Amino acid sequence: MQDRTETHQLLMSLFSPFKGRNHRVHMDNWFTGIPLISDLKKQGFYVTGTVRVNRKGLDKRVTMLKAEETA
């Protein structure tokens, strides 16, 4: 897992004993990120979480929708 944060790597190692069991993971915006969600999905997890609109790698359409919501 190159270019992944230490937090990302730690979470993946913590979840690894449960992979493939279709568990649901709920996160706050501190942990929610596209690379982590993608890697967890590949391991068979379902992820729900809040997200910061300025999060790196976030699709600009999400940012635009959030800006319209608060206007």
Side-chain angles (χ1 to χ4, degrees):
M1 271 188 277
Q2 60 201 44
D3 77 331
R4 300 295 196 234
T5 65
E6 288 182 34
T7 303
H8 181 115
Q9 294 175 24
L10 174 65
L11 290 171
M12 291 304 295
S13 67
L14 289 172
F15 289 130
S16 69
F18 308 102
K19 68 182 178 182
R21 297 186 187 174
N22 298 319
H23 284 302
R24 298 178 190 283
V25 178
H26 300 271
M27 302 180 196
D28 68 2
N29 61 27
W30 178 263
F31 297 103
T32 306
I34 304 303
L36 180 59
I37 292 171
S38 177
D39 287 350
L40 286 172
K41 183 179 179 190
K42 290 175 188 173
Q43 298 293 323
F45 291 93
Y46 297 98
V47 180
T48 301
T50 57
V51 67
R52 298 177 188 189
V53 294
N54 62 346
R55 182 64 125 187
K56 183 179 177 181
L58 188 63
D59 191 315
K60 296 297 180 196
R61 292 175 289 179
V62 174
T63 305
M64 291 170 46
L65 291 172
K66 182 65 176 175
E68 291 172 6
E69 182 181 295
T70 58

